[in-house]
Amino acid sequence: MTDLRHPAPVGDADLTIRDPLAESFPEGREGRALFWIAVAFSLYQIAIAAHLVTLSSQIQRALHLGFLMLLCFPLLAALRGRGRMGKLLSWALAGLGVVVAGYQWVEYVPLMMRSGMLNQWDVVIGVLALITTFGAAYVVMGPALPIVAGLFLVYALFGQYFPGPLVTRGYDFAQVVEQMSFGTEGIYGTPLYVSATYIFLFILFGSFLEKAGMIRLFTDVSLGLVGHRMGGAAKVSVVSSGMMGTISGSGVANVVTTGQFTIPLMKSFGYRSAFAGGVEATSSMGGQIMPPVMGAVAFIMAETLGVAYVEVVRAAIIPAILYFASAFWMVHLEAGRRDLRGMSKEDLPSARKALRERWYLILPLAVLVYLLFSGYTPLFAGTVGLGLTIMLILGASAALGLPGTVLKTIFWIGLGLVAASFLRFGNTALWGGIAALLVWNMIYSGGRKTIWQVIESLAEGAKTALPVGVACALVGVIIGTMTLTGAANTFGLYIVSVGQNSLILSLILTMITCIVLGMGIPTIPNYIITSTIAAPALLELGVPLIVSHMFVFYFGILADLTPPVALACFAAAPIAKENGLKISFEALKVAAAGFVIPYMAVYTPALMLQDGGPLAQAIGYSAAVAYIVAKCVIAIGLWGIAVIGWLGQRLPIRQRVLAAVAAFTLIAALPLTDEIGLALTALFVGLWWLRTRRS
């Protein structure tokens, strides 16, 4: 179980998408230069987060994007083995990205003075900013997001020629360039601000935790807890991916890390390749709705809505638990249907032993969660969490060089006191302790190896942040178009007009919109696009603010499981050695109950711990929460039974249809639907019990 690598099938290029960023930095002088650029990028972000360097917000965003451009083009060209001309072009584009960042820095005050009256050089630089941003997004993520953003840019430039309600008054070229490339409503808008602060920091935090052995800890705990139960291999995937989701900023990255171990494990215990890939894809994407990080969307959502971070987590926690409970239930039923038993308990690691030996790895994450829930800013909490992780890595190395248990105990107590001192003295004490540990580790060879591990984590973190950062810049074009043209209002009015007659139809249209817009687009830009276009319409229909945003976020996430794009499923394809579309259909089966949860939250906001809804007014808030959770569990259970067709024994089609109808009627809290749903549930249970007794 120590070998977590699983090679892709030779000659099966059509089965999958290939992520060159999963590879290490290339060899040679160019590779070393890119490695140190990545390290410098991470150090710059840490210096900003720790307030060692203070810059205005606009300059900070510009330099962040400049680093992304400088690293993105040449790194992808090198990893993809481009020729001499391709590499020269990539460095030229990287240079243009740096020029744009430098222009924003040097001309910061004059640009503010020239607002609304750009000169010729401003327009040229603005166009270059758009070209490099679109180019970087295409290089890193492929055509999906650039095409979507390009269509919005075309609409901003030529909207006056569009038909009917889509027509705009028309905007001057310079006005569109200023909207997209300067100020804080386009490329340098809120998404890039969040990327330049919270997101990069949390990605770096996850990179350090992975280097410290957090994935191995999650895997061992998952194996120890559920590996011996029926269908244990698949249940390990659900649990480990849920745990990984607490630190991961990408569902697809989650697939290719935990999936390297869980998918071959599931296949070795008899699960079909497509089902194994589907379970991993479903569980990994679920990690994006699992607090505290939620793919870093929690921080963007809090920033967008102007609410405390804890309010977003509060709304997400019950749906996230129910999502993973539904995936757990589906794999349990599939295992029962195919009689797939668990692994031998003697061959599995002990969860208790794993926690006893490596419990300290959880400390930075626990402190992070404590600070976030205590009202500290995500930036401060992320900085402290990152600092504590670095301190743990360096401290563990330094302790190895100490003779005797007594000295080691004194050392750890002292280090703990230094770490805890940030509550009184701020980050200065924390970074001072890290500096002292760096000097200590430089003295002996083992320590120098650990320092190199820290440096590698800095480089890997910057590389991992590339797709997210570039995507956050490009979705600014979409938001800029929405702000300039008011297109979101047009869509919202249409959804609202439909919803006045049928809320369920309006929700279905919104769901389809979110799935289509979210295909092939990473978690963060996915949420930004869908929340900008669709969430305001739900708010107009009386859906609570956070619930409306969670609704579109949920279905934006599920877009990565939905054919034909199904990004997470195609990422699992080379590991499962199966066609990505087949995996996608299996993922939809596993995630079937996940499609139910957002609808139930709209009708009864208590599911997301929000006030409102007729049920809460009728029976009280606490009773409403208990009732809707119980009803959701019943609906999830019925959906799983209907889809898999097994409950202790194979079920005939009529009982599966009955279970599906009962589950469907429990979704909408309309007059008599709950009563009908519960009656059908009782009928299903009675028929199942009679059939079981006879057999």
Side-chain angles (χ1 to χ4, degrees):
M1 61 163 285
T2 54
D3 185 12
L4 301 183
R5 300 189 63 80
H6 192 82
V10 177
D12 280 355
D14 59 312
L15 296 183
T16 183
I17 53 174
R18 176 175 171 270
D19 180 14
L21 289 175
E23 301 173 15
S24 299
F25 283 85
E27 301 291 336
R29 284 186 300 177
E30 184 182 41
R32 287 194 296 273
L34 291 167
F35 177 87
W36 288 109
I37 288 171
V39 172
F41 188 9
S42 291
L43 290 175
Y44 159 75
Q45 291 292 158
I46 291 172
I48 290 291
H51 299 292
L52 302 175
V53 174
T54 303
L55 297 170
S56 72
S57 178
Q58 185 72 14
I59 294 173
Q60 184 180 329
R61 301 177 204 196
L63 293 180
H64 179 75
L65 186 58
F67 264 116
L68 289 170
M69 298 296 111
L70 179 60
L71 188 59
C72 167
F73 288 109
L75 178 59
L76 268 296
L79 290 174
R80 287 175 173 151
R82 297 287 186 256
R84 181 179 175 83
M85 288 305 298
K87 289 184 178 181
L88 284 174
L89 177 61
S90 70
W91 279 105
L93 288 169
L96 289 176
V98 173
V99 167
V100 170
Y103 190 85
Q104 290 271 8
W105 191 357
V106 173
E107 292 288 305
Y108 173 59
V109 174
L111 278 170
M112 285 195 295
M113 301 298 291
R114 292 196 296 270
S115 179
M117 298 179 293
L118 299 186
N119 63 32
Q120 190 172 358
W121 274 111
D122 296 338
V123 174
V124 170
I125 293 296
V127 171
L128 287 178
L130 287 168
I131 290 171
T132 52
T133 303
F134 270 91
Y138 179 81
V139 164
V140 173
M141 292 174 291
L145 185 57
I147 287 173
V148 173
L151 291 174
F152 276 88
L153 184 59
V154 167
Y155 182 61
L157 289 167
F158 305 107
Q160 65 269 32
Y161 303 114
F162 277 57
L166 293 176
V167 69
T168 67
R169 66 175 180 82
Y171 303 96
D172 180 70
F173 180 76
Q175 185 180 359
V176 174
V177 169
E178 181 174 17
Q179 176 81 0
M180 303 303 172
S181 301
F182 299 97
T184 57
E185 290 186 342
I187 291 173
Y188 301 103
T190 298
L192 191 68
Y193 164 72
V194 179
S195 172
T197 50
Y198 316 147
I199 294 175
F200 191 99
L201 208 60
F202 279 87
I203 289 174
L204 201 56
F205 177 58
S207 174
F208 273 95
L209 282 179
E210 286 184 32
K211 284 282 185 183
M214 185 63 93
I215 294 177
R216 178 65 183 274
L217 174 62
F218 286 159
T219 304
D220 285 355
V221 169
S222 304
L223 283 167
L225 287 176
V226 297
H228 61 287
R229 302 187 180 276
M230 185 171 69
K235 291 175 181 176
V236 167
S237 172
V238 175
V239 175
S240 61
S241 294
M243 290 180 175
M244 185 67 185
T246 61
I247 64 169
S248 171
S250 167
V252 175
N254 203 345
V255 170
V256 298
T257 49
T258 58
Q260 296 284 352
F261 169 71
T262 58
I263 293 176
L265 182 67
M266 282 185 270
K267 290 177 65 178
S268 69
F269 275 82
Y271 282 98
R272 293 172 290 115
S273 296
F275 188 81
V279 169
E280 178 56 43
T282 303
S283 304
S284 292
M285 291 313 301
Q288 301 298 279
I289 60 172
M290 176 61 73
V293 177
M294 294 170 61
V297 165
F299 310 117
I300 288 189
M301 194 179 292
E303 192 81 25
T304 303
L305 301 181
V307 300
Y309 161 85
V310 69
E311 289 299 313
V312 176
V313 171
R314 183 167 166 259
I317 188 67
I318 291 178
I321 293 170
L322 289 172
Y323 180 94
F324 279 98
S326 70
F328 204 84
W329 175 238
M330 297 294 282
V331 300
H332 176 80
L333 293 174
E334 175 75 7
R337 188 168 74 96
R338 295 181 173 272
D339 196 27
L340 301 175
R341 299 297 161 186
M343 297 168 272
S344 172
K345 201 164 186 177
E346 293 73 27
D347 298 333
L348 296 173
S350 166
R352 186 176 297 175
K353 182 182 177 184
L355 287 170
R356 188 170 62 245
E357 290 178 351
R358 299 194 293 278
W359 61 270
Y360 55 87
L361 291 175
I362 302 174
L363 285 176
L365 190 60
V367 171
L368 172 73
V369 173
Y370 168 77
L371 291 174
L372 288 171
F373 276 82
S374 297
Y376 288 92
T377 65
L379 189 60
F380 178 79
T383 306
V384 170
L386 176 61
L388 289 176
T389 308
I390 297 173
M391 187 174 278
L392 268 179
I393 294 171
L394 294 173
S397 173
L400 290 175
L402 292 173
T405 306
V406 175
L407 276 177
K408 288 181 180 178
T409 303
I410 294 171
F411 169 80
W412 281 114
I413 291 172
L415 194 62
L417 292 172
V418 172
S421 65
F422 76 87
L423 288 169
R424 180 165 184 179
F425 302 109
N427 288 334
T428 306
L430 197 62
W431 294 107
I434 290 171
L437 286 171
L438 282 170
V439 174
W440 189 331
N441 277 275
M442 288 176 66
I443 297 172
Y444 67 102
S445 59
R448 288 193 287 274
K449 289 179 182 176
T450 303
I451 291 175
W452 186 249
Q453 182 184 352
V454 170
I455 293 171
E456 286 181 335
S457 296
L458 291 170
E460 287 297 321
K463 186 175 70 171
T464 305
L466 281 179
V468 177
V470 171
C472 283
L474 190 55
V475 294
V477 172
I478 297 171
I479 295 173
T481 300
M482 292 292 183
T483 307
L484 186 67
T485 64
N489 291 336
T490 304
F491 178 83
L493 288 171
Y494 175 70
I495 294 290
V496 170
S497 67
V498 172
Q500 286 173 346
N501 299 316
S502 172
L503 177 59
I504 188 69
L505 182 57
S506 185
L507 292 174
I508 291 170
L509 286 173
T510 304
M511 177 190 74
I512 294 170
T513 302
C514 293
I515 289 175
V516 171
L517 289 175
M519 285 183 177
I521 297 175
T523 304
I524 291 168
N526 188 330
Y527 162 71
I528 294 167
I529 294 169
T530 54
S531 65
T532 303
I533 295 174
L538 296 183
L539 186 63
E540 284 290 318
L541 291 171
V543 180
L545 182 63
I546 290 183
V547 174
S548 64
H549 279 253
M550 282 292 180
F551 185 91
V552 299
F553 173 46
Y554 240 83
F555 286 111
I557 291 293
L558 291 172
D560 277 340
L561 304 177
T562 307
V565 178
L567 205 61
C569 299
F570 278 86
I575 310 172
K577 298 184 180 180
E578 183 55 272
N579 185 279
L581 282 177
K582 289 183 180 178
I583 292 175
S584 176
F585 287 117
E586 294 294 334
L588 287 181
K589 284 169 58 178
V590 178
F595 283 81
V596 173
I597 296 169
Y599 283 92
M600 299 187 79
V602 168
Y603 284 102
T604 311
L607 184 61
M608 291 185 177
L609 300 179
Q610 302 298 301
D611 295 328
L615 183 65
Q617 295 170 6
I619 65 174
Y621 175 71
S622 299
V625 171
Y627 175 79
I628 186 60
V629 170
K631 191 175 77 159
C632 197
V633 168
I634 294 170
I636 285 171
L638 291 168
W639 274 118
I641 293 165
V643 171
I644 302 297
W646 186 89
L647 186 63
Q649 59 183 320
R650 289 181 183 269
L651 300 178
I653 190 67
R654 62 181 180 276
Q655 286 191 6
R656 294 174 68 176
V657 171
L658 178 60
V661 173
F664 181 77
T665 53
L666 288 172
I667 294 174
L670 300 175
L672 292 179
T673 53
D674 282 5
E675 289 82 352
I676 294 170
L678 293 172
L680 291 175
T681 301
L683 177 61
F684 169 80
V685 172
L687 292 173
W688 171 80
W689 181 79
L690 286 173
R691 189 168 182 270
T692 303
R693 190 176 179 186
R694 286 172 189 160
S695 63

